Amino acid sequence: MNIWSYIAKRILLMIPTLLGVIAITFAVIQFVPGGPVEQALMELKKGQVGAGEAGGGGASEYRGRQGIDAERVKEIQALYGFDKPPLERFAQMLKGFATFDLGNSFYHHKDVWDLVKSKLPVSISLGLWTFFLTYFISLPLGIAKAVREGSRFDVASSIAVLIGYSIPGFVLGVFLLVMFGGGSFVQWFPLRGLTSDNWEQLSWFGKVTDYLWHIALPVTASVAGSFAVMTMLTKNTFLEEIRKQYVLTARAKGLNENTVLYKHVFRNALIPLVTGFPAAFIGAFFAGSLLIETLFSLDGLGLLSYESVIRRDYPVVMGTLYLFTLIGLVVKLLGDLCYVWADPRVQFESLSR
């Protein structure tokens, strides 16, 4: 099986997987109470209560207006598309997804795709910095720990890494805000947002400085936990390779330590790290960003997804789920391709089983 046949087969397998995820979520939504229709009816009832009290009609007048007219209920159902059977709504939604028409938000009254694109800059900023700093710190540190296993450096760095891993990102974020964001000590960094209000009036250098000033605390809180896992994975992977027979043979031939480490060990040890590279890259944008975005008032995709679930904004829920699932399936395919690229001994037939 060549690479193109393998890719075509995997793409065909993505279709039922994607449909299954969307169908299960759509079915669950049908039984969740407090949907947009119920919320609209609740607002109408609140309005009637206010009108009855403001009109001074007394309790008897209000009790006569407690019920919602059946025609009004049908109008609200039609407004949100709930006047159609579930299967028809599901088919209509899939038809829109096929052309990347994700519908319109019930709450924001905007196209879901435009809404997602408006939130992307925040998530991309946070995700890119988290991803690159995680790898740039973890790989050299993990290699250094493997080479110096058992030394004071290894023990001290392991303690520091485990302490960072044991502290949740949002807890560290609160600590950073209290210490350096004007909480109880000093205000060296801003409390919210990615840029200042006067960002457009700043010079090019001023814009870069202002952006880095705002992103410092959120990125620090995001990186603290993720780089610990990658560091220990790098160390253990390199240790496993260093102890293999081919390393002893290379050393016996008189090769210097750097040649053995970076020419022979590095390529083999890189395999588990490279295969997780696409998933880590995408995960930095969408995973674990909710609490950080909320804590630092960053209006990104994590906060959008959370608010859409709370507000029962079903087009946003289903639209973002569709995009995230599709991205996840593509990333899984890229991970398998990276595995073959890193280790040519692996064949596509074994990956497809």
Side-chain angles (χ1 to χ4, degrees):
M1 182 185 297
N2 60 40
I3 183 172
W4 299 113
S5 300
Y6 175 76
I7 292 175
K9 181 179 178 181
R10 287 291 300 271
I11 291 176
L12 290 176
L13 290 174
M14 288 180 187
I15 297 175
T17 304
L18 187 61
L19 289 175
V21 172
I22 294 174
I24 292 174
T25 307
F26 183 84
V28 171
I29 282 177
Q30 306 310 307
F31 301 100
V32 175
V37 175
E38 288 81 359
Q39 292 187 14
L41 294 177
M42 187 179 300
E43 291 296 325
L44 281 178
K45 290 181 179 180
K46 289 181 179 178
Q48 288 184 354
V49 171
E53 292 176 350
S60 60
E61 179 183 351
Y62 169 66
R63 281 196 295 268
R65 299 171 57 184
Q66 270 190 335
I68 304 296
D69 186 79
E71 292 297 325
R72 190 64 182 275
V73 173
K74 291 181 179 179
E75 290 178 3
I76 295 174
Q77 290 176 338
L79 176 64
Y80 293 108
F82 282 85
D83 57 329
K84 301 174 183 177
L87 288 179
E88 184 178 347
R89 287 189 280 118
F90 182 71
Q92 186 176 4
M93 182 183 65
L94 290 181
K95 183 179 178 180
F97 284 175
T99 58
F100 280 89
D101 180 10
L102 307 181
N104 293 306
S105 168
F106 294 156
Y107 181 80
H108 297 277
H109 305 292
K110 293 175 60 177
D111 183 78
V112 174
W113 182 241
D114 292 335
L115 195 60
V116 169
K117 288 190 293 184
S118 68
K119 309 295 183 182
L120 270 177
V122 173
S123 296
I124 289 177
S125 295
L126 189 60
L128 280 177
W129 281 108
T130 301
F131 173 78
F132 284 118
L133 286 178
T134 297
Y135 268 82
F136 286 157
I137 294 174
S138 301
L139 291 182
L141 181 59
I143 295 173
K145 286 174 61 62
V147 173
R148 299 173 177 82
E149 185 195 14
S151 65
R152 292 182 179 178
F153 169 79
D154 181 35
V155 174
S157 58
S158 294
I159 293 174
V161 164
L162 292 177
I163 291 175
Y165 179 69
S166 64
I167 301 175
F170 70 94
V171 174
L172 179 60
V174 172
F175 173 78
L176 293 175
L177 283 176
V178 171
M179 294 293 295
F180 307 111
S184 301
F185 294 89
V186 296
Q187 189 171 1
W188 291 347
F189 297 94
L191 292 174
R192 59 180 61 87
L194 285 181
T195 56
S196 300
D197 295 335
N198 63 334
W199 192 78
E200 293 294 337
Q201 286 74 42
L202 298 175
S203 63
W204 181 85
F205 179 77
K207 289 180 178 180
V208 173
T209 305
D210 182 75
Y211 167 75
L212 295 176
W213 182 48
H214 280 77
I215 203 69
L217 294 187
V219 168
T220 302
S222 298
V223 168
S226 56
F227 95 91
V229 176
M230 189 59 61
T231 299
M232 300 309 294
L233 176 62
T234 303
K235 175 191 173 182
N236 294 333
T237 304
F238 269 81
L239 276 178
E240 183 180 355
E241 292 296 325
I242 288 173
R243 293 166 179 170
K244 289 185 177 179
Q245 186 65 39
Y246 74 89
V247 176
L248 297 177
T249 303
R251 287 172 175 168
K253 289 181 177 180
L255 297 178
N256 63 62
E257 194 65 23
N258 286 336
T259 302
V260 173
L261 184 63
Y262 293 104
K263 186 176 180 181
H264 297 279
V265 175
F266 189 79
R267 181 179 179 85
N268 294 325
L270 204 61
I271 293 175
L273 302 178
V274 168
T275 54
F277 189 91
F281 185 76
I282 299 299
F285 298 119
F286 306 120
S289 61
L290 168 60
L291 292 175
I292 300 299
E293 290 180 7
T294 304
L295 181 63
F296 291 94
S297 300
L298 302 176
D299 192 12
L301 289 175
L303 189 59
L304 173 66
S305 301
Y306 172 74
E307 289 179 346
S308 64
V309 172
I310 297 299
R311 294 165 175 164
R312 305 296 192 268
D313 197 348
Y314 295 147
V316 178
V317 173
M318 298 302 300
T320 53
L321 174 72
Y322 168 71
L323 291 176
F324 294 168
T325 305
L326 184 60
I327 291 172
L329 293 172
V330 173
V331 165
K332 176 62 178 174
L333 173 59
L334 292 177
D336 290 342
L337 294 178
C338 287
Y339 195 92
V340 177
W341 170 77
D343 189 357
R345 296 171 297 177
V346 178
Q347 301 297 320
F348 288 105
E349 288 83 355
S350 61
L351 287 177
S352 60
R353 291 173 186 170

